[in-house]
Amino acid sequence: MAAANERWWANSFLRMEAEGYQYDRGRGDWAKIEDPNPDPLKRNPRGLFARNGGLMVKRRLVLAQDNVMYRFAALAYARRGVWTKAERLAPLLNSPWWMEEDRMFLLLSRARQAGVGLVEMARRQLALPQEWTDADVIVRVRIRPGILLAAHAGPGLTAEGGGERRVIAPEAPHLLIDQLYVPGLGRHPALGSAGAGNAAAWFDAGTAVAFDPNIRGLNP
């Protein structure tokens, strides 16, 4: 059975986003930086694609209904007003960045062992600068029965935003936590406006739950 997002899996632009390449929405193209090579003869005069965050893609992972999905999100993006729970949480489901349940429990365990808050440990282990996300809500959801989703899986890469640098240390591979990028979700220009519809079709919104990562039971 083919994955429901197979067409998006094959999209090279979405693979680039998974690997941390930055798209400049203002210019309508991929952001570039000057080639930092100290040897001018080896320097690319056209520059290099800018990278910030993303994954060190290690493998393809196929997800199904038995995979409970988690992500840290910003509550500000949830719908306000008179909405059902599913409608309120729908915008928080439309993101390609997720974790499996075992990784979520590992993150919680490490936060307790280190004696730091769960959000702080998430910022350290998942490379989440404050400028990128408030990380003030955790969303949990199941994939719809009969749906298979292909994801890029691997540890995160160092990310910087607003002068804050969150470093994923390659010298400590035993501390890395795999993250997931699910092609077909989000707001990348390569998707057009398909992301929200894909999230509604692939996730069982009736199972979606949002909870505060700062509650006492989740923190030292």
Side-chain angles (χ1 to χ4, degrees):
M1 181 177 175
N5 63 336
E6 204 66 57
R7 62 174 291 204
W8 305 118
W9 169 268
N11 188 295
S12 61
F13 293 113
L14 298 180
R15 168 72 183 236
M16 289 178 71
E17 181 178 54
E19 294 178 336
Y21 290 96
Q22 301 296 302
Y23 190 88
D24 188 335
R25 286 175 169 76
R27 298 190 324 186
D29 61 7
W30 292 97
K32 289 189 175 183
I33 56 175
E34 293 184 8
D35 188 335
N37 195 314
D39 184 346
L41 298 179
K42 297 179 180 179
R43 193 177 301 153
N44 185 342
R46 294 181 297 175
L48 305 171
F49 286 126
R51 296 185 73 176
N52 190 6
L55 305 179
M56 183 188 303
V57 175
K58 294 287 190 180
R59 67 190 189 283
R60 170 185 167 114
L61 187 66
V62 177
L63 306 162
Q65 183 187 8
D66 57 346
N67 293 93
V68 181
M69 310 291 286
Y70 288 81
R71 65 180 300 262
F72 286 81
L75 190 58
Y77 289 102
R79 285 176 172 164
R80 305 294 181 179
V82 182
W83 303 91
T84 65
K85 181 190 72 169
E87 290 171 325
R88 288 198 307 272
L89 299 183
L92 304 184
L93 302 182
N94 183 27
S95 169
W97 304 103
W98 291 89
M99 301 171 61
E100 292 180 276
E101 187 171 44
D102 61 342
R103 298 309 195 271
M104 183 66 208
F105 288 156
L106 178 58
L107 191 70
L108 180 59
S109 173
R110 289 183 176 176
R112 288 173 173 167
Q113 290 173 5
V116 302
L118 179 57
V119 171
E120 172 59 23
M121 184 56 68
R123 293 196 185 282
R124 294 181 187 181
Q125 295 266 270
L126 308 180
L128 300 176
Q130 177 71 40
E131 186 181 65
W132 287 17
T133 178
D134 294 337
D136 57 353
V137 64
I138 298 174
V139 182
R140 182 183 70 205
V141 70
R142 285 186 178 272
I143 298 169
R144 286 186 182 277
I147 295 290
L148 297 181
L149 295 177
H152 297 294
L157 298 169
T158 295
E160 186 171 356
E164 177 188 9
R165 187 175 175 83
R166 291 291 176 170
V167 179
I168 303 296
E171 68 274 13
H174 62 291
L175 295 179
L176 300 179
I177 288 185
D178 275 1
Q179 301 176 58
L180 304 177
Y181 177 97
V182 182
L185 298 174
R187 298 166 181 81
H188 192 282
L191 293 173
S193 58
N198 288 341
W202 300 343
F203 290 131
D204 182 355
T207 68
V209 177
F211 50 96
D212 183 354
N214 297 301
I215 60 176
R216 188 170 184 177
L218 297 179
N219 294 274

